[in-house]
Amino acid sequence: TAGRLTEKASERRIYADRILAKDSNNYWGNVLLANSLMKTDDPNFEQAEAALRSAIAKDNSLPYAVEDLGKLLQARGRTEEADQVFVKLGEMLPDRFAPLRYRLALTAGDHEKALKLIDDFLKKNPDNTEALNTKAAGMREMQNWDGYVATNQRLVFVERNGGNAYNLACAHSLAGQEDSAYAWLFTAAELGFNDIEQYKSDEDLIPLHDDARWNNLLTKVEDSQKAEMAAYMQEMSRTAVQRQEKSLKVRGSDRAQDFELQDLNG
């Protein structure tokens, strides 16, 4: 544990050597050895790969050495081998997006292949928001507005919050669906997404500016912003005594030094 927590390659090597001196096939000893070798200014990739494969041979139920091996092979440009390793990692962590993220990095801009990988993952993990956000980004880049809308709709279904509602509104705007865009913009404001400057400056919403509803929307957002600030100030006032007592308790008997400064009138 101490070896894994340290960031310095030299210190990791010390822990690795101590472990491997007692058991040359120790899983964590080999993982630490590989990590220390890869983090040096002159990394020994061959020895690091051998250490990781030794760790996997010792225990192929743990994902750590598999993940590190995939990243090492990717760094060495051995793309096909890296992909196979990340497939194995995905089998070990079927509900985690990280293995798929590694595989997506190997697709080299092939959007169709990337989207297929994401869709295959979503069939088993339909509510994974990281996968949905990644798919939405891909749809946007491909200017597939129908797919962009559908993916953001799923995100709102999974997590109904102001940010997701706002993104769905932007998707509808880009798809030329003004009524739906406005419906979700008002919903976003109701759900607390009230960054007025974001609404005003977002290029996705430019097609909506000439609509009579635009000023009403900005008023709604400003009202939401004011209501949030009022609620915050009320809460601060309500908890002022408790916060002061907590601060004094943490600070102890220390007192601030006396000081003088000019007021606003000089």
Side-chain angles (χ1 to χ4, degrees):
T1 300
R4 291 176 64 197
L5 291 175
T6 184
E7 290 296 324
K8 292 183 178 180
S10 58
E11 292 182 4
R12 287 196 173 195
R13 182 59 185 268
I14 292 173
Y15 284 107
D17 288 343
R18 289 171 62 184
I19 295 171
L20 294 174
K22 297 181 179 181
D23 178 5
S24 61
N25 294 318
N26 181 275
Y27 181 90
W28 289 112
N30 278 294
V31 170
L32 287 174
L33 174 60
N35 288 166
S36 67
L37 291 168
M38 290 188 289
K39 287 181 176 291
T40 60
D41 294 332
D42 184 23
N44 187 329
F45 289 109
E46 289 74 17
Q47 189 179 354
E49 179 181 351
L52 290 171
R53 292 191 183 280
S54 178
I56 294 170
K58 177 69 173 181
D59 188 343
N60 63 5
S61 67
L62 296 173
Y64 310 101
V66 176
E67 182 175 10
D68 287 345
L69 177 61
K71 290 191 288 187
L72 184 149
L73 294 172
Q74 180 181 1
R76 300 296 288 162
R78 292 157 63 179
T79 304
E80 291 186 7
E81 292 178 78
D83 190 59
Q84 292 173 3
V85 172
F86 290 138
V87 168
K88 173 64 176 176
L89 183 64
E91 293 170 353
M92 301 172 77
L93 304 170
D95 59 341
R96 298 280 297 278
F97 184 74
L100 178 57
R101 190 190 311 116
Y102 293 132
R103 296 192 68 196
L104 293 174
L106 300 174
T107 58
D110 187 337
H111 295 302
E112 295 295 336
K113 181 178 180 180
L115 286 172
K116 184 180 185 308
L117 291 174
I118 296 172
D119 283 337
D120 289 344
F121 178 81
L122 286 171
K123 288 177 183 178
K124 300 176 181 178
N125 305 276
D127 295 342
N128 187 288
T129 56
E130 191 170 0
L132 288 167
N133 276 305
T134 304
K135 180 176 181 178
M139 290 293 181
R140 181 188 178 94
E141 189 169 346
M142 296 171 66
Q143 296 188 1
N144 181 340
W145 303 130
D146 289 341
Y148 190 43
V149 168
T151 307
N152 278 288
Q153 285 175 331
R154 181 64 189 175
L155 276 163
V156 169
F157 177 80
V158 174
E159 287 187 356
R160 187 180 177 86
N161 58 44
N164 285 340
Y166 179 85
N167 289 335
L168 177 54
C170 290
H172 280 300
S173 177
L174 291 169
Q177 301 161 356
E178 291 190 4
D179 289 344
S180 295
Y182 268 107
W184 282 106
L185 284 173
F186 279 102
T187 299
E190 291 171 0
L191 292 173
F193 191 87
N194 51 33
D195 184 346
I196 189 69
E197 294 305 321
Q198 175 71 28
Y199 285 83
K200 290 179 178 179
S201 63
D202 196 328
E203 294 183 359
D204 290 353
L205 303 181
I206 289 177
L208 307 178
H209 288 190
D210 293 334
D211 192 289
R213 290 169 287 185
W214 181 249
N215 288 331
N216 292 335
L217 170 67
L218 295 184
T219 299
K220 176 76 172 180
V221 174
E222 289 176 342
D223 288 345
S224 173
Q225 196 174 54
K226 290 176 182 177
E228 181 180 351
M229 179 58 68
Y232 172 76
M233 296 303 294
Q234 184 177 12
E235 177 66 13
M236 292 296 287
S237 176
R238 185 183 69 81
T239 60
V241 174
Q242 295 93 318
R243 287 185 289 106
Q244 183 181 34
E245 291 176 350
K246 181 178 179 181
S247 177
L248 289 172
K249 185 178 295 185
V250 171
R251 191 176 63 195
S253 60
D254 294 340
R255 310 294 294 183
Q257 294 182 357
D258 290 338
F259 65 94
E260 295 180 356
L261 53 84
Q262 289 184 337
D263 63 18
L264 295 178
N265 298 315

